[in-house]
Amino acid sequence: MNTAQDNIHQQMATLLLQWYAQNKRMLPFRTNSTPYRVWVSEIMLQQTRIAAAMDHYNRFMEQLPTVQDLADCPEEKLLKLWEGLGYYSRARNLQKAAKVMVEQYGGELPADYKALLSLPGIGEYTAGAIASISFGLPVAAVDGNVLRVFARLYDDHRDILRPDTKKAFTQRVLDCMPKDRPGDFNEALMDLGAMVCVPNGAPQCLACPLAEICQGFEKGTAIELPVKTPPKARKVQQMTVLLVQTPEGKYLLEKRPEEGLLAGLWQPLLLEGALTMEQAKQYLQSKGLEVSFSKEGASAKHIFSHIEWHMKSFCFRATDSEVNLPLVWADKTELEQEYSLPNAFKVYKRQMLKESIF
Ligand code: SF4
């Protein structure tokens, strides 16, 4: 590397870390940043905004303060703690990894990038974040935020979803990283990407500590960057939700299959396709359920990464409550405290938590 480039990299790190010292976000996992707390926070914040995750994070840490507690936690309790965050495989992988840590690393996170990377649910970004923040190892933690900042900083128009682009950008991060402060550097980049060089809308270049060395700012191209291949169109699936209530106010829930989308979570009865009221009644009869009253219910939409559910619903009052597993009747307290319903059904859960759906 030549000296001019060395100087720019050094300047970048100096400007960024000076800004970070003044503007660092005060987050619970930063004030008490054990490797376990950093790990759980990094997993929880994948696909979830910080503001939305903080209550969950604090509750999770209260209930499961150590790797051993996480490894020993019953699955239903774990999923309940994760309820509302989505992508439940993250919670299951946390527990799988915790079990490996108990068996192989004395209930601690290993202080080694490759060992971290080999654990369930820990990819390059998360391994890099834990290794640098918790163990001071000089490893990059490159996510969408960092790719965006570096694409703009270097006016780089390569597609950031391509592995070779990510590899090149990772090398740039390492070139800029001061080897005595890798954790601070990575966290500063995360904060800059979240607060200044933001993803949606114009970056706030006039408030940016890197403006004087940023090529995207200088050339006026920052707003167009980063370049990303557009995602494939999502498949739309019509679904019908059946909210079935007993006269005592209990609701019928079913458990989803143990594999696939929203595996092992609970839901109101859910059928593929846009059923008519008559078809829905026939379905309930096939399950041995007679209903005395029915009406159309709310519609809702839920977007997964690859699929969209467009849901309509019907509400039914059941005349008896004889059902076979895997169906259960749940009252309001059980709905709140015991059964984990994914976010896809939040409209319906809200309805069920009211006194009546009728
Ligand atoms: S100057 Fe603007 S585009 Fe460049 S890094 Fe800062 S916020 Fe991003």
Side-chain angles (χ1 to χ4, degrees):
M1 197 189 310
N2 64 40
T3 314
Q5 262 182 337
D6 253 350
N7 286 344
I8 296 222
H9 294 150
Q10 208 179 345
Q11 200 184 355
M12 186 271 181
T14 306
L15 292 169
L16 183 66
L17 288 169
Q18 276 169 356
W19 172 84
Y20 182 62
Q22 305 289 323
N23 296 281
K24 173 179 183 167
R25 290 177 293 178
M26 295 316 292
L27 302 166
F29 41 87
R30 285 185 174 169
T31 45
N32 175 11
S33 61
T34 65
Y36 175 62
R37 289 172 62 85
V38 170
W39 170 43
V40 173
S41 73
E42 288 297 341
I43 300 294
M44 215 174 251
L45 292 177
Q46 290 165 6
Q47 290 124 345
T48 308
R49 286 175 303 107
I50 287 189
M54 275 310 91
D55 284 351
H56 283 84
Y57 180 76
N58 290 329
R59 207 162 40 237
F60 195 97
M61 282 300 149
E62 264 168 44
Q63 298 278 320
L64 307 174
T66 66
V67 172
Q68 183 77 56
D69 294 322
L70 172 57
D72 294 341
C73 181
E75 188 181 57
E76 284 293 340
K77 178 177 171 185
L78 179 67
L79 296 178
K80 193 69 193 165
L81 285 169
W82 206 263
E83 187 181 50
L85 290 172
Y87 300 95
Y88 285 77
S89 57
R90 292 182 293 168
R92 290 198 171 96
N93 280 333
L94 270 175
Q95 187 169 51
K96 280 187 205 158
K99 287 180 178 171
V100 176
M101 290 172 201
V102 168
E103 280 163 22
Q104 297 182 18
Y105 301 105
E108 304 286 343
L109 276 82
D112 178 86
Y113 176 75
K114 285 208 170 124
L116 287 165
L117 198 53
S118 71
L119 293 167
I122 298 189
E124 287 177 358
Y125 167 78
T126 310
I130 300 168
S132 60
I133 297 167
S134 300
F135 301 116
L137 301 174
V139 189
V142 178
D143 67 351
N145 276 319
V146 174
L147 291 170
R148 178 176 64 258
V149 172
F150 273 74
R152 290 170 174 173
L153 196 56
Y154 287 85
D155 188 36
D156 195 320
H157 291 244
R158 284 178 286 178
D159 180 352
I160 59 163
L161 296 182
R162 286 180 56 103
D164 52 346
T165 309
K166 187 172 173 194
K167 198 169 164 202
F169 280 29
T170 301
Q171 188 54 51
R172 278 187 185 152
V173 173
L174 289 171
D175 290 343
C176 293
M177 175 185 284
K179 300 300 177 275
D180 57 338
R181 294 184 64 191
D184 283 346
F185 181 77
N186 283 337
E187 287 193 282
L189 270 179
M190 293 171 200
D191 282 9
L192 190 84
M195 296 157 70
V196 181
C197 198
V198 289
N200 302 312
Q204 295 169 24
C205 302
L206 297 178
C208 180
L210 306 182
E212 62 187 272
I213 56 165
C214 177
Q215 294 177 36
F217 178 49
E218 189 188 327
K219 294 179 184 167
T221 54
I223 187 87
E224 302 157 21
L225 293 166
V227 173
K228 261 196 242 184
T229 35
K232 285 190 198 143
R234 278 186 292 266
K235 186 176 153 204
V236 172
Q237 210 169 5
Q238 305 295 335
M239 308 296 278
T240 305
V241 175
L242 310 186
L243 297 177
V244 186
Q245 187 186 35
T246 63
E248 303 80 43
K250 291 189 172 190
Y251 287 98
L252 197 55
L253 298 181
E254 65 181 350
K255 196 167 202 226
R256 291 187 61 80
E258 292 299 335
E259 300 286 328
L261 189 66
L262 306 176
L265 299 173
W266 292 88
Q267 62 186 18
L269 296 189
L270 182 73
L271 300 167
E272 279 189 30
L275 270 61
T276 61
M277 173 84 82
E278 208 36 54
Q279 288 169 322
K281 270 188 198 160
Q282 282 168 11
Y283 175 78
L284 292 176
Q285 278 165 354
S286 76
K287 294 275 166 196
L289 273 167
E290 289 300 330
V291 293
S292 63
F293 187 70
S294 53
K295 68 163 197 176
E296 283 196 18
S299 298
K301 182 157 100 173
H302 190 77
I303 297 176
F304 299 95
S305 51
H306 60 296
I307 199 167
E308 272 181 46
W309 278 355
H310 291 196
M311 294 174 279
K312 63 189 284 195
S313 71
F314 297 113
C315 305
F316 296 99
R317 175 154 293 145
T319 52
D320 66 52
S321 51
E322 285 295 309
V323 288
N324 297 321
L325 286 172
L327 300 178
V328 296
W329 293 104
D331 62 23
K332 268 171 58 171
T333 310
E334 289 165 333
L335 259 174
E336 271 179 314
Q337 295 179 5
E338 207 170 306
Y339 296 103
S340 315
L341 268 68
N343 259 354
F345 303 105
K346 68 172 181 246
V347 169
Y348 302 110
K349 183 175 175 187
R350 214 179 296 134
Q351 273 187 296
M352 290 190 280
L353 288 177
K354 288 202 241 151
E355 280 310 306
S356 169
I357 50 175
F358 294 102

